[in-house]
Amino acid sequence: MGMNNIVSDVHKLEAAKSAMQELDISTGAPLRIGLGTGSTAKHFVDLLGARVAEGFECICVPTSEQTAEQAGSLRIPLSDLDHLDQLDITIDGTDEITADLSLIKGGGGALLREKIVAAASKKMIVIADDSKSVETLGAFPLPIEVNKFGLMATKNAIAKVAGALKLSGDLLLRKKADETPFITDEGHLILDACFGRISNPKELSNELLQVPGVVQHGLFLNLCQNAYIAGANGVIKLSR
Ligand code: 5RP
């Protein structure tokens, strides 16, 4: 890990620690928590595991196989959205976040489950280091989860709807280190859309969801309530 990565990892941990205060909700039942995916969410799951070991009562829905494995190894009680109709809170990382708490997620490829879990939660809380803060979304390529079937047709249709919104850029099929396509937990592909600057995320979101082969995309709009952003000067809490 390089020096910058070590510093940003310390900030990720600080953000995760601050978000622990969000768990002080009394519902009269074990707290129903959505667990995010990625290196920042991993810190939160570790901290939660320590609380569970001390007797904290919760029941959690992980947003990826990776997080399920980590949470399971920490003996965090797990369930799914077939058994819990609503969650009290979800804590997750992000790839980009604006001042109005709009997000780009999916750098880790878990955006579909992450969005389903966030939408099923009363509150979504984001934790991040301050390298994720942006004025306008889009410098981070927008992950778009697509069906394997008809990949070329879907790619062309995405380019067309983006073009109509004056957005353009490569649509890169995400690959693993061995150059084979990255497959999501739900068995789909990811196209990373290098649009550069997305000044109209709402319109783009709506249009992308009209493309038949698009399963979901990484624009999370109006989902996040609070964010804990950690940097050299401490942790800032943003609320919507
Ligand atoms: C996974 C995600 C992650 O939250 C996002 O990629 C941030 O990851 P990290 O905390 O490792 O920087 O959306 O799909």
Side-chain angles (χ1 to χ4, degrees), residues 72-104:
S73 74
L74 294 167
R75 298 179 188 276
I76 294 173
L78 297 180
S79 187
D80 57 43
L81 293 176
D82 298 326
H83 295 89
L84 301 174
D85 59 342
Q86 197 181 32
L87 302 180
D88 298 302
I89 191 164
T90 283
I91 316 274
D92 203 349
T94 193
D95 296 299
E96 284 189 344
I97 181 164
T98 61
D100 72 352
L101 305 192
S102 297
L103 317 172
I104 283 186

PDB file of all heavy atoms in Angstrom, residues 72-104:
ATOM      1  N   GLY A  72     -20.141 -12.935   8.234  1.00  0.00           N
ATOM      2  CA  GLY A  72     -20.322 -14.294   8.759  1.00  0.00           C
ATOM      3  C   GLY A  72     -19.142 -14.706   9.628  1.00  0.00           C
ATOM      4  O   GLY A  72     -19.322 -15.286  10.703  1.00  0.00           O
ATOM      5  N   SER A  73     -17.937 -14.349   9.173  1.00  0.00           N
ATOM      6  CA  SER A  73     -16.750 -14.745   9.938  1.00  0.00           C
ATOM      7  C   SER A  73     -16.689 -14.001  11.274  1.00  0.00           C
ATOM      8  O   SER A  73     -16.051 -14.459  12.219  1.00  0.00           O
ATOM      9  CB  SER A  73     -15.472 -14.505   9.118  1.00  0.00           C
ATOM     10  OG  SER A  73     -15.195 -13.129   9.080  1.00  0.00           O
ATOM     11  N   LEU A  74     -17.381 -12.867  11.355  1.00  0.00           N
ATOM     12  CA  LEU A  74     -17.426 -12.097  12.610  1.00  0.00           C
ATOM     13  C   LEU A  74     -18.653 -12.467  13.459  1.00  0.00           C
ATOM     14  O   LEU A  74     -18.931 -11.817  14.468  1.00  0.00           O
ATOM     15  CB  LEU A  74     -17.442 -10.598  12.294  1.00  0.00           C
ATOM     16  CG  LEU A  74     -16.172 -10.044  11.627  1.00  0.00           C
ATOM     17  CD1 LEU A  74     -16.421  -8.647  11.073  1.00  0.00           C
ATOM     18  CD2 LEU A  74     -15.016 -10.029  12.618  1.00  0.00           C
ATOM     19  N   ARG A  75     -19.381 -13.468  12.998  1.00  0.00           N
ATOM     20  CA  ARG A  75     -20.592 -13.941  13.691  1.00  0.00           C
ATOM     21  C   ARG A  75     -21.669 -12.860  13.810  1.00  0.00           C
ATOM     22  O   ARG A  75     -22.409 -12.773  14.800  1.00  0.00           O
ATOM     23  CB  ARG A  75     -20.265 -14.504  15.081  1.00  0.00           C
ATOM     24  CG  ARG A  75     -19.355 -15.715  15.002  1.00  0.00           C
ATOM     25  CD  ARG A  75     -19.020 -16.244  16.377  1.00  0.00           C
ATOM     26  NE  ARG A  75     -18.009 -17.288  16.283  1.00  0.00           N
ATOM     27  CZ  ARG A  75     -18.276 -18.567  16.026  1.00  0.00           C
ATOM     28  NH1 ARG A  75     -19.493 -18.956  15.826  1.00  0.00           N
ATOM     29  NH2 ARG A  75     -17.292 -19.449  15.956  1.00  0.00           N
ATOM     30  N   ILE A  76     -21.738 -12.005  12.814  1.00  0.00           N
ATOM     31  CA  ILE A  76     -22.815 -11.013  12.760  1.00  0.00           C
ATOM     32  C   ILE A  76     -24.049 -11.738  12.209  1.00  0.00           C
ATOM     33  O   ILE A  76     -23.962 -12.381  11.158  1.00  0.00           O
ATOM     34  CB  ILE A  76     -22.414  -9.828  11.838  1.00  0.00           C
ATOM     35  CG1 ILE A  76     -21.236  -9.060  12.446  1.00  0.00           C
ATOM     36  CG2 ILE A  76     -23.593  -8.911  11.571  1.00  0.00           C
ATOM     37  CD1 ILE A  76     -20.659  -7.970  11.550  1.00  0.00           C
ATOM     38  N   PRO A  77     -25.188 -11.671  12.904  1.00  0.00           N
ATOM     39  CA  PRO A  77     -26.383 -12.376  12.410  1.00  0.00           C
ATOM     40  C   PRO A  77     -26.826 -11.826  11.048  1.00  0.00           C
ATOM     41  O   PRO A  77     -26.935 -10.606  10.869  1.00  0.00           O
ATOM     42  CB  PRO A  77     -27.442 -12.085  13.477  1.00  0.00           C
ATOM     43  CG  PRO A  77     -26.685 -11.646  14.681  1.00  0.00           C
ATOM     44  CD  PRO A  77     -25.432 -10.995  14.189  1.00  0.00           C
ATOM     45  N   LEU A  78     -27.061 -12.730  10.104  1.00  0.00           N
ATOM     46  CA  LEU A  78     -27.405 -12.317   8.737  1.00  0.00           C
ATOM     47  C   LEU A  78     -28.795 -12.785   8.337  1.00  0.00           C
ATOM     48  O   LEU A  78     -29.257 -13.830   8.780  1.00  0.00           O
ATOM     49  CB  LEU A  78     -26.376 -12.879   7.746  1.00  0.00           C
ATOM     50  CG  LEU A  78     -24.941 -12.383   7.920  1.00  0.00           C
ATOM     51  CD1 LEU A  78     -24.025 -13.022   6.875  1.00  0.00           C
ATOM     52  CD2 LEU A  78     -24.863 -10.861   7.826  1.00  0.00           C
ATOM     53  N   SER A  79     -29.409 -11.991   7.475  1.00  0.00           N
ATOM     54  CA  SER A  79     -30.709 -12.362   6.925  1.00  0.00           C
ATOM     55  C   SER A  79     -30.778 -11.849   5.487  1.00  0.00           C
ATOM     56  O   SER A  79     -29.746 -11.532   4.886  1.00  0.00           O
ATOM     57  CB  SER A  79     -31.826 -11.775   7.788  1.00  0.00           C
ATOM     58  OG  SER A  79     -33.086 -12.254   7.359  1.00  0.00           O
ATOM     59  N   ASP A  80     -31.985 -11.763   4.944  1.00  0.00           N
ATOM     60  CA  ASP A  80     -32.127 -11.211   3.584  1.00  0.00           C
ATOM     61  C   ASP A  80     -33.458 -10.469   3.482  1.00  0.00           C
ATOM     62  O   ASP A  80     -34.256 -10.471   4.429  1.00  0.00           O
ATOM     63  CB  ASP A  80     -32.007 -12.324   2.534  1.00  0.00           C
ATOM     64  CG  ASP A  80     -33.018 -13.420   2.769  1.00  0.00           C
ATOM     65  OD1 ASP A  80     -34.188 -13.095   3.070  1.00  0.00           O
ATOM     66  OD2 ASP A  80     -32.652 -14.608   2.673  1.00  0.00           O
ATOM     67  N   LEU A  81     -33.689  -9.864   2.340  1.00  0.00           N
ATOM     68  CA  LEU A  81     -34.885  -9.025   2.200  1.00  0.00           C
ATOM     69  C   LEU A  81     -36.151  -9.852   1.956  1.00  0.00           C
ATOM     70  O   LEU A  81     -37.232  -9.289   1.822  1.00  0.00           O
ATOM     71  CB  LEU A  81     -34.678  -7.982   1.092  1.00  0.00           C
ATOM     72  CG  LEU A  81     -33.617  -6.922   1.419  1.00  0.00           C
ATOM     73  CD1 LEU A  81     -33.393  -5.993   0.232  1.00  0.00           C
ATOM     74  CD2 LEU A  81     -34.013  -6.107   2.643  1.00  0.00           C
ATOM     75  N   ASP A  82     -36.009 -11.173   1.896  1.00  0.00           N
ATOM     76  CA  ASP A  82     -37.204 -12.019   1.848  1.00  0.00           C
ATOM     77  C   ASP A  82     -37.750 -12.247   3.254  1.00  0.00           C
ATOM     78  O   ASP A  82     -38.914 -12.610   3.425  1.00  0.00           O
ATOM     79  CB  ASP A  82     -36.891 -13.377   1.203  1.00  0.00           C
ATOM     80  CG  ASP A  82     -36.430 -13.194  -0.227  1.00  0.00           C
ATOM     81  OD1 ASP A  82     -36.926 -12.261  -0.891  1.00  0.00           O
ATOM     82  OD2 ASP A  82     -35.550 -13.948  -0.675  1.00  0.00           O
ATOM     83  N   HIS A  83     -36.876 -12.048   4.237  1.00  0.00           N
ATOM     84  CA  HIS A  83     -37.294 -12.264   5.628  1.00  0.00           C
ATOM     85  C   HIS A  83     -37.466 -10.962   6.399  1.00  0.00           C
ATOM     86  O   HIS A  83     -38.101 -10.933   7.449  1.00  0.00           O
ATOM     87  CB  HIS A  83     -36.288 -13.170   6.349  1.00  0.00           C
ATOM     88  CG  HIS A  83     -36.270 -14.549   5.763  1.00  0.00           C
ATOM     89  ND1 HIS A  83     -35.447 -14.903   4.722  1.00  0.00           N
ATOM     90  CD2 HIS A  83     -37.028 -15.640   6.029  1.00  0.00           C
ATOM     91  CE1 HIS A  83     -35.680 -16.166   4.398  1.00  0.00           C
ATOM     92  NE2 HIS A  83     -36.628 -16.629   5.172  1.00  0.00           N
ATOM     93  N   LEU A  84     -36.872  -9.888   5.919  1.00  0.00           N
ATOM     94  CA  LEU A  84     -37.013  -8.567   6.556  1.00  0.00           C
ATOM     95  C   LEU A  84     -37.596  -7.642   5.497  1.00  0.00           C
ATOM     96  O   LEU A  84     -36.980  -7.438   4.452  1.00  0.00           O
ATOM     97  CB  LEU A  84     -35.648  -8.033   6.992  1.00  0.00           C
ATOM     98  CG  LEU A  84     -34.849  -8.894   7.983  1.00  0.00           C
ATOM     99  CD1 LEU A  84     -33.466  -8.300   8.195  1.00  0.00           C
ATOM    100  CD2 LEU A  84     -35.585  -8.987   9.311  1.00  0.00           C
ATOM    101  N   ASP A  85     -38.787  -7.119   5.749  1.00  0.00           N
ATOM    102  CA  ASP A  85     -39.396  -6.292   4.697  1.00  0.00           C
ATOM    103  C   ASP A  85     -38.782  -4.900   4.633  1.00  0.00           C
ATOM    104  O   ASP A  85     -38.806  -4.248   3.593  1.00  0.00           O
ATOM    105  CB  ASP A  85     -40.922  -6.215   4.869  1.00  0.00           C
ATOM    106  CG  ASP A  85     -41.315  -5.630   6.214  1.00  0.00           C
ATOM    107  OD1 ASP A  85     -40.456  -5.619   7.123  1.00  0.00           O
ATOM    108  OD2 ASP A  85     -42.466  -5.182   6.352  1.00  0.00           O
ATOM    109  N   GLN A  86     -38.220  -4.448   5.737  1.00  0.00           N
ATOM    110  CA  GLN A  86     -37.589  -3.121   5.752  1.00  0.00           C
ATOM    111  C   GLN A  86     -36.379  -3.155   6.675  1.00  0.00           C
ATOM    112  O   GLN A  86     -36.339  -3.954   7.619  1.00  0.00           O
ATOM    113  CB  GLN A  86     -38.589  -2.080   6.263  1.00  0.00           C
ATOM    114  CG  GLN A  86     -38.158  -0.663   5.930  1.00  0.00           C
ATOM    115  CD  GLN A  86     -39.130   0.376   6.452  1.00  0.00           C
ATOM    116  OE1 GLN A  86     -39.763   0.178   7.487  1.00  0.00           O
ATOM    117  NE2 GLN A  86     -39.225   1.492   5.763  1.00  0.00           N
ATOM    118  N   LEU A  87     -35.397  -2.309   6.380  1.00  0.00           N
ATOM    119  CA  LEU A  87     -34.221  -2.199   7.237  1.00  0.00           C
ATOM    120  C   LEU A  87     -34.261  -0.842   7.928  1.00  0.00           C
ATOM    121  O   LEU A  87     -34.792   0.135   7.376  1.00  0.00           O
ATOM    122  CB  LEU A  87     -32.943  -2.336   6.407  1.00  0.00           C
ATOM    123  CG  LEU A  87     -32.816  -3.635   5.608  1.00  0.00           C
ATOM    124  CD1 LEU A  87     -31.514  -3.658   4.818  1.00  0.00           C
ATOM    125  CD2 LEU A  87     -32.894  -4.845   6.519  1.00  0.00           C
ATOM    126  N   ASP A  88     -33.690  -0.764   9.137  1.00  0.00           N
ATOM    127  CA  ASP A  88     -33.666   0.515   9.852  1.00  0.00           C
ATOM    128  C   ASP A  88     -32.623   1.443   9.258  1.00  0.00           C
ATOM    129  O   ASP A  88     -32.818   2.657   9.188  1.00  0.00           O
ATOM    130  CB  ASP A  88     -33.381   0.270  11.342  1.00  0.00           C
ATOM    131  CG  ASP A  88     -34.477  -0.562  11.973  1.00  0.00           C
ATOM    132  OD1 ASP A  88     -35.638  -0.129  11.925  1.00  0.00           O
ATOM    133  OD2 ASP A  88     -34.178  -1.672  12.468  1.00  0.00           O
ATOM    134  N   ILE A  89     -31.513   0.873   8.804  1.00  0.00           N
ATOM    135  CA  ILE A  89     -30.394   1.705   8.378  1.00  0.00           C
ATOM    136  C   ILE A  89     -29.449   0.890   7.490  1.00  0.00           C
ATOM    137  O   ILE A  89     -29.332  -0.329   7.672  1.00  0.00           O
ATOM    138  CB  ILE A  89     -29.656   2.240   9.644  1.00  0.00           C
ATOM    139  CG1 ILE A  89     -28.653   3.311   9.280  1.00  0.00           C
ATOM    140  CG2 ILE A  89     -29.008   1.131  10.460  1.00  0.00           C
ATOM    141  CD1 ILE A  89     -28.205   4.127  10.490  1.00  0.00           C
ATOM    142  N   THR A  90     -28.832   1.554   6.529  1.00  0.00           N
ATOM    143  CA  THR A  90     -27.774   0.919   5.725  1.00  0.00           C
ATOM    144  C   THR A  90     -26.546   1.815   5.774  1.00  0.00           C
ATOM    145  O   THR A  90     -26.665   3.046   5.674  1.00  0.00           O
ATOM    146  CB  THR A  90     -28.238   0.738   4.271  1.00  0.00           C
ATOM    147  OG1 THR A  90     -29.124  -0.373   4.222  1.00  0.00           O
ATOM    148  CG2 THR A  90     -27.078   0.452   3.328  1.00  0.00           C
ATOM    149  N   ILE A  91     -25.391   1.204   5.949  1.00  0.00           N
ATOM    150  CA  ILE A  91     -24.138   1.960   5.965  1.00  0.00           C
ATOM    151  C   ILE A  91     -23.297   1.459   4.798  1.00  0.00           C
ATOM    152  O   ILE A  91     -23.034   0.263   4.682  1.00  0.00           O
ATOM    153  CB  ILE A  91     -23.334   1.721   7.267  1.00  0.00           C
ATOM    154  CG1 ILE A  91     -24.224   1.762   8.498  1.00  0.00           C
ATOM    155  CG2 ILE A  91     -22.135   2.660   7.342  1.00  0.00           C
ATOM    156  CD1 ILE A  91     -24.499   3.078   9.109  1.00  0.00           C
ATOM    157  N   ASP A  92     -22.846   2.356   3.942  1.00  0.00           N
ATOM    158  CA  ASP A  92     -22.109   1.927   2.749  1.00  0.00           C
ATOM    159  C   ASP A  92     -21.075   2.985   2.356  1.00  0.00           C
ATOM    160  O   ASP A  92     -21.180   4.149   2.767  1.00  0.00           O
ATOM    161  CB  ASP A  92     -23.107   1.711   1.597  1.00  0.00           C
ATOM    162  CG  ASP A  92     -22.578   0.763   0.529  1.00  0.00           C
ATOM    163  OD1 ASP A  92     -21.371   0.436   0.551  1.00  0.00           O
ATOM    164  OD2 ASP A  92     -23.375   0.344  -0.329  1.00  0.00           O
ATOM    165  N   GLY A  93     -20.119   2.579   1.563  1.00  0.00           N
ATOM    166  CA  GLY A  93     -19.130   3.506   1.012  1.00  0.00           C
ATOM    167  C   GLY A  93     -19.641   4.122  -0.285  1.00  0.00           C
ATOM    168  O   GLY A  93     -20.800   3.922  -0.676  1.00  0.00           O
ATOM    169  N   THR A  94     -18.776   4.865  -0.947  1.00  0.00           N
ATOM    170  CA  THR A  94     -19.160   5.456  -2.232  1.00  0.00           C
ATOM    171  C   THR A  94     -17.910   5.720  -3.059  1.00  0.00           C
ATOM    172  O   THR A  94     -16.797   5.731  -2.521  1.00  0.00           O
ATOM    173  CB  THR A  94     -19.953   6.767  -2.018  1.00  0.00           C
ATOM    174  OG1 THR A  94     -20.560   7.153  -3.246  1.00  0.00           O
ATOM    175  CG2 THR A  94     -19.068   7.896  -1.508  1.00  0.00           C
ATOM    176  N   ASP A  95     -18.113   5.910  -4.336  1.00  0.00           N
ATOM    177  CA  ASP A  95     -16.984   6.275  -5.209  1.00  0.00           C
ATOM    178  C   ASP A  95     -16.919   7.790  -5.410  1.00  0.00           C
ATOM    179  O   ASP A  95     -15.834   8.336  -5.563  1.00  0.00           O
ATOM    180  CB  ASP A  95     -17.115   5.547  -6.553  1.00  0.00           C
ATOM    181  CG  ASP A  95     -17.011   4.054  -6.354  1.00  0.00           C
ATOM    182  OD1 ASP A  95     -15.959   3.606  -5.872  1.00  0.00           O
ATOM    183  OD2 ASP A  95     -17.983   3.333  -6.626  1.00  0.00           O
ATOM    184  N   GLU A  96     -18.079   8.425  -5.437  1.00  0.00           N
ATOM    185  CA  GLU A  96     -18.139   9.893  -5.478  1.00  0.00           C
ATOM    186  C   GLU A  96     -19.342  10.340  -4.659  1.00  0.00           C
ATOM    187  O   GLU A  96     -20.352   9.635  -4.591  1.00  0.00           O
ATOM    188  CB  GLU A  96     -18.317  10.406  -6.924  1.00  0.00           C
ATOM    189  CG  GLU A  96     -17.065  10.350  -7.759  1.00  0.00           C
ATOM    190  CD  GLU A  96     -17.176  11.054  -9.096  1.00  0.00           C
ATOM    191  OE1 GLU A  96     -18.302  11.346  -9.563  1.00  0.00           O
ATOM    192  OE2 GLU A  96     -16.124  11.312  -9.706  1.00  0.00           O
ATOM    193  N   ILE A  97     -19.208  11.553  -4.087  1.00  0.00           N
ATOM    194  CA  ILE A  97     -20.343  12.148  -3.354  1.00  0.00           C
ATOM    195  C   ILE A  97     -20.304  13.656  -3.528  1.00  0.00           C
ATOM    196  O   ILE A  97     -19.240  14.269  -3.440  1.00  0.00           O
ATOM    197  CB  ILE A  97     -20.328  11.728  -1.850  1.00  0.00           C
ATOM    198  CG1 ILE A  97     -21.531  12.334  -1.111  1.00  0.00           C
ATOM    199  CG2 ILE A  97     -19.014  12.080  -1.154  1.00  0.00           C
ATOM    200  CD1 ILE A  97     -21.820  11.683   0.241  1.00  0.00           C
ATOM    201  N   THR A  98     -21.472  14.234  -3.794  1.00  0.00           N
ATOM    202  CA  THR A  98     -21.558  15.694  -3.947  1.00  0.00           C
ATOM    203  C   THR A  98     -22.117  16.300  -2.652  1.00  0.00           C
ATOM    204  O   THR A  98     -22.576  15.578  -1.768  1.00  0.00           O
ATOM    205  CB  THR A  98     -22.514  16.066  -5.099  1.00  0.00           C
ATOM    206  OG1 THR A  98     -23.810  15.549  -4.776  1.00  0.00           O
ATOM    207  CG2 THR A  98     -22.045  15.496  -6.426  1.00  0.00           C
ATOM    208  N   ALA A  99     -22.137  17.641  -2.602  1.00  0.00           N
ATOM    209  CA  ALA A  99     -22.640  18.329  -1.403  1.00  0.00           C
ATOM    210  C   ALA A  99     -24.115  18.010  -1.152  1.00  0.00           C
ATOM    211  O   ALA A  99     -24.570  18.037  -0.009  1.00  0.00           O
ATOM    212  CB  ALA A  99     -22.436  19.828  -1.553  1.00  0.00           C
ATOM    213  N   ASP A 100     -24.881  17.692  -2.205  1.00  0.00           N
ATOM    214  CA  ASP A 100     -26.300  17.358  -1.993  1.00  0.00           C
ATOM    215  C   ASP A 100     -26.522  15.849  -1.796  1.00  0.00           C
ATOM    216  O   ASP A 100     -27.647  15.363  -1.878  1.00  0.00           O
ATOM    217  CB  ASP A 100     -27.193  17.911  -3.111  1.00  0.00           C
ATOM    218  CG  ASP A 100     -27.020  17.141  -4.417  1.00  0.00           C
ATOM    219  OD1 ASP A 100     -26.106  16.289  -4.511  1.00  0.00           O
ATOM    220  OD2 ASP A 100     -27.810  17.378  -5.338  1.00  0.00           O
ATOM    221  N   LEU A 101     -25.426  15.140  -1.546  1.00  0.00           N
ATOM    222  CA  LEU A 101     -25.445  13.707  -1.229  1.00  0.00           C
ATOM    223  C   LEU A 101     -25.917  12.826  -2.388  1.00  0.00           C
ATOM    224  O   LEU A 101     -26.535  11.782  -2.194  1.00  0.00           O
ATOM    225  CB  LEU A 101     -26.246  13.417   0.050  1.00  0.00           C
ATOM    226  CG  LEU A 101     -25.813  14.189   1.303  1.00  0.00           C
ATOM    227  CD1 LEU A 101     -26.474  13.603   2.540  1.00  0.00           C
ATOM    228  CD2 LEU A 101     -24.313  14.180   1.493  1.00  0.00           C
ATOM    229  N   SER A 102     -25.642  13.280  -3.603  1.00  0.00           N
ATOM    230  CA  SER A 102     -25.799  12.394  -4.766  1.00  0.00           C
ATOM    231  C   SER A 102     -24.516  11.578  -4.868  1.00  0.00           C
ATOM    232  O   SER A 102     -23.427  12.075  -4.561  1.00  0.00           O
ATOM    233  CB  SER A 102     -25.973  13.214  -6.053  1.00  0.00           C
ATOM    234  OG  SER A 102     -27.155  13.971  -5.981  1.00  0.00           O
ATOM    235  N   LEU A 103     -24.672  10.331  -5.330  1.00  0.00           N
ATOM    236  CA  LEU A 103     -23.527   9.416  -5.325  1.00  0.00           C
ATOM    237  C   LEU A 103     -23.305   8.746  -6.670  1.00  0.00           C
ATOM    238  O   LEU A 103     -24.256   8.549  -7.433  1.00  0.00           O
ATOM    239  CB  LEU A 103     -23.771   8.269  -4.326  1.00  0.00           C
ATOM    240  CG  LEU A 103     -24.356   8.578  -2.951  1.00  0.00           C
ATOM    241  CD1 LEU A 103     -24.683   7.261  -2.244  1.00  0.00           C
ATOM    242  CD2 LEU A 103     -23.369   9.391  -2.124  1.00  0.00           C
ATOM    243  N   ILE A 104     -22.050   8.374  -6.912  1.00  0.00           N
ATOM    244  CA  ILE A 104     -21.758   7.314  -7.892  1.00  0.00           C
ATOM    245  C   ILE A 104     -21.204   6.160  -7.071  1.00  0.00           C
ATOM    246  O   ILE A 104     -20.265   6.333  -6.293  1.00  0.00           O
ATOM    247  CB  ILE A 104     -20.728   7.746  -8.955  1.00  0.00           C
ATOM    248  CG1 ILE A 104     -21.397   8.649  -9.987  1.00  0.00           C
ATOM    249  CG2 ILE A 104     -20.145   6.501  -9.652  1.00  0.00           C
ATOM    250  CD1 ILE A 104     -20.516   9.029 -11.161  1.00  0.00           C
TER     251      ILE A 104
END
